[in-house]
Amino acid sequence: MNKASRLFWPTLVTPKNAVVKPTEQLSRSQKLLTELGLVKAGSNGTYQIMPIAQRTIDKCIQLVQRNMQAAGGQKISLPVLTPAQLWKKTGRLDGDISEFYMVRDRSGKQFLMSPTHEEAVTAMLASAAPISYRQLPQRLYQIGPKFRDELKSRFGLMRAKEFLMKDMYSFDVSLDAARQTYATVTAAYERFFRQLELPFVRVEAASGIMGGSQSHEYHFISPVGEDTLLQCSNCSYAGNTEVFGNEADAPSTCPSCQSAQLSRVRGVEVAHTFLLGDKYSKPLGATFLNTSGKPEPLVMGCFGIGITRVIAAALEVLSTEQQLRWPKLLAPYDVCVIGPKAGSKEQASAERIEHELLNQLAQICGAEQLLHDERKELTIGKRLLDAQRLGHPLTIVVGAKATQLEAPKLELHTSGSEKLELEVAEVLQLVTQHEQHKQQLLQSQLEETNSEQQQEQKRFGHVH
């Protein structure tokens, strides 16, 4: 079980009479994560992740992996350093490379600290030739650090120079098969975002330096978003104004249905998908052997999710100015238990109830999902304030009312709601309902995946 007294949790404390210098505008998520000691700035644009926030990152990774594996993904790891020569072959070093970190080894060979890995993974497939059409499709993904020399890093984890990303690369025998992979993986993306229970929008997007014939972005709607999105209330059209060159060139009527019911909102991009075709496979010689035994270029797609950006953007959308709010599946802990203050007259009797409660909760949600705030030198009020600011989905207080001879009560604080005074059995029932809801979110993935796999089997006549 996790104990609050053992957590490395370096909160920022501002002296009462301190003069606070004005700083650059912070996003809500950046301000709270920093003040609460969950994230610390390592340098301009880089961040150190403390244990509480690391739990959320690990949960996000696990959820992403569940969905990628359900979509036929296989996990790999590629080196951070990619030979610049590969990027020269695809022509991507010919454009604006000001955001790339370039390094040289002692022999003078140049490398990129990769912002993305299309060249690296395609060269890997090329070196594995010959690949038979029977081995396709291949859907390979990794989760690791990416690097981008942002001119102006801001909003904390939402726009950093080093960030954590899931990137998948797909290889198919034809454009039609690649479109089917695109549909399968993007369905997994939408399922992932639904599991977070956050409103999101999928929009048509510009392919930019990545290239390809089709591209979509996934956004959380937020005032701090750096993209302007068009949404039509008359049809299902949604697009990034970048599709039209820039915001000034974007139309005032819907490009799909020509309706004037077109609104503009700000969005935080959290994922991006591309249908690449043979943009990388041709110059790098990544081929497969077709049914006639002749080589053909592999047809590719790529699919990215910003792990750290998803977390920061979710907090930006859900949190208040003073308190964090987490997606249920990503909260660092499910339940926080606060016991009586040391030296209080009810301490002995309340602690007996507290320990029994902890045992019962461990049976319901698992000891690893419990945080026991046993810092009993602090008042219940101080510990409760910490718990509310950290945004635990459920916080249970075992105080004086728990020791009443008639109708003993616990305090239950749910994230964003008023406190409830309930009997132990009622509290345990609400915790059980919380856990059941989490399981339902995960179960929906299993049901959708089974349906998608059946459709793929019908389409291709075998399991990919």
Side-chain angles (χ1 to χ4, degrees):
M1 189 179 303
N2 304 283
K3 296 185 179 297
S5 65
R6 302 301 303 154
L7 283 175
F8 183 59
W9 183 11
T11 55
L12 287 183
V13 178
T14 304
K16 284 185 178 179
N17 299 322
V19 177
V20 180
K21 295 181 181 179
T23 58
E24 181 186 356
Q25 178 192 2
L26 302 179
S27 65
R28 184 181 300 164
S29 60
Q30 181 183 8
K31 176 177 177 289
L32 287 170
L33 288 171
T34 303
E35 287 181 355
L36 292 170
L38 275 60
V39 169
K40 291 175 65 67
S43 61
N44 180 29
T46 67
Y47 295 90
Q48 302 159 349
I49 309 298
M50 301 299 107
I52 295 176
Q54 186 63 50
R55 289 178 62 89
T56 287
I57 289 176
D58 292 343
K59 288 185 177 185
C60 189
I61 288 172
Q62 290 168 9
L63 188 59
V64 168
Q65 289 193 152
R66 283 177 64 109
N67 283 287
M68 291 304 96
Q69 290 164 5
Q74 301 175 72
K75 191 175 184 182
I76 61 172
S77 293
L78 297 168
V80 166
L81 296 177
T82 299
Q85 186 60 35
L86 293 178
W87 283 60
K88 290 177 183 175
K89 285 185 178 180
T90 61
R92 286 214 288 178
L93 284 190
D94 296 336
D96 182 6
I97 60 172
S98 57
E99 287 190 348
F100 298 163
Y101 284 103
M102 310 290 288
V103 298
R104 293 182 185 275
D105 65 14
R106 65 185 68 191
S107 69
K109 188 175 181 180
Q110 194 174 39
F111 295 84
L112 283 88
M113 294 179 66
S114 299
T116 184
H117 277 83
E118 284 75 17
E119 282 81 358
V121 74
T122 308
M124 182 181 76
L125 266 288
S127 69
I131 295 172
S132 168
Y133 70 93
R134 293 187 181 89
Q135 297 171 264
L136 300 174
Q138 291 291 333
R139 298 165 187 170
L140 308 176
Y141 77 95
Q142 63 173 350
I143 296 176
K146 297 287 186 292
F147 301 88
R148 191 172 295 150
D149 188 8
E150 295 282 0
L151 181 62
K152 190 174 184 181
S153 301
R154 58 177 183 163
F155 299 150
L157 297 178
M158 279 196 286
R159 184 163 287 280
K161 293 185 176 183
E162 180 179 346
F163 50 96
L164 195 63
M165 180 176 167
K166 187 285 304 179
D167 43 325
M168 173 183 271
Y169 305 94
S170 63
F171 301 87
D172 280 278
V173 300
S174 66
L175 189 56
D176 183 56
R179 288 194 183 102
Q180 179 60 31
T181 287
Y182 193 85
T184 297
V185 179
T186 54
Y189 271 41
E190 295 190 23
R191 182 169 56 241
F192 166 70
F193 288 119
R194 286 197 301 272
Q195 288 171 327
L196 298 184
E197 299 183 289
L198 277 165
F200 70 93
V201 58
R202 178 193 189 211
V203 303
E204 288 186 11
S207 294
I209 190 174
M210 300 290 284
S213 60
Q214 191 175 7
S215 172
H216 291 91
E217 294 169 344
Y218 295 79
H219 287 259
F220 293 158
I221 305 305
S222 170
V224 302
E226 296 182 311
D227 290 275
T228 301
L229 313 177
L230 302 177
Q231 289 184 291
C232 178
S233 58
N234 189 57
C235 71
S236 59
Y237 176 80
N240 192 319
T241 55
E242 290 179 351
V243 172
F244 307 97
N246 57 60
E247 188 173 343
D249 294 331
S252 57
T253 58
C254 176
S256 179
C257 71
Q258 283 70 56
S259 167
Q261 299 177 38
L262 198 63
S263 60
R264 297 188 179 209
V265 294
R266 304 295 291 179
V268 178
E269 181 192 345
V270 289
H272 206 152
T273 62
F274 302 85
L275 189 58
L276 297 173
D278 58 11
K279 173 181 170 62
Y280 299 91
S281 54
K282 265 192 175 179
L284 294 174
T287 62
F288 71 98
L289 299 180
N290 63 21
T291 54
S292 302
K294 296 181 180 179
E296 288 185 37
L298 289 159
V299 183
M300 293 177 58
C302 70
F303 310 85
I305 292 178
I307 302 290
T308 41
R309 184 179 281 200
V310 161
I311 293 167
L315 291 174
E316 193 69 32
V317 171
L318 295 174
S319 301
T320 69
E321 292 297 328
Q322 297 300 322
Q323 298 179 358
L324 290 170
R325 298 282 185 272
W326 306 89
K328 287 185 178 65
L329 292 179
L330 302 187
Y333 309 94
D334 287 353
V335 183
C336 175
V337 175
I338 297 173
K341 186 181 188 301
S344 61
K345 61 182 180 181
E346 69 271 8
Q347 182 181 3
S349 54
E351 281 184 343
R352 287 193 292 271
I353 298 169
E354 176 187 16
H355 292 146
E356 177 60 27
L357 177 67
L358 287 167
N359 290 331
Q360 292 172 307
L361 290 171
Q363 294 298 315
I364 296 172
C365 58
E368 183 55 29
Q369 300 306 323
L370 292 179
L371 177 63
H372 183 202
D373 194 340
E374 78 319 359
R375 300 173 297 163
K376 295 187 177 179
E377 72 280 7
L378 301 177
T379 65
I380 286 178
K382 172 64 172 73
R383 286 177 283 161
L384 181 58
L385 179 62
D386 284 344
Q388 290 174 327
R389 293 205 75 198
L390 286 171
H392 304 303
L394 300 169
T395 299
I396 303 169
V397 176
V398 185
K401 290 186 179 180
T403 63
Q404 296 174 155
L405 293 178
E406 293 185 11
K409 301 279 181 147
L410 303 177
E411 282 184 20
L412 178 68
H413 299 258
T414 59
S415 180
S417 300
E418 296 297 320
K419 75 174 182 181
L420 301 171
E421 293 187 353
L422 302 170
E423 295 178 3
V424 172
E426 293 173 313
V427 169
L428 294 175
Q429 179 60 32
L430 286 177
V431 174
T432 300
Q433 290 174 5
H434 177 82
E435 295 303 311
Q436 288 173 340
H437 180 65
K438 286 176 59 182
Q439 290 305 312
Q440 287 167 1
L441 291 173
L442 297 174
Q443 184 65 26
S444 66
Q445 174 209 8
L446 180 62
E447 293 169 356
E448 289 183 33
T449 299
N450 289 338
S451 175
E452 289 162 8
Q453 287 176 344
Q454 290 170 5
Q455 291 175 9
E456 277 204 302
Q457 288 176 32
K458 288 179 182 178
R459 183 177 180 86
F460 292 104
H462 62 279
V463 180
H464 296 325

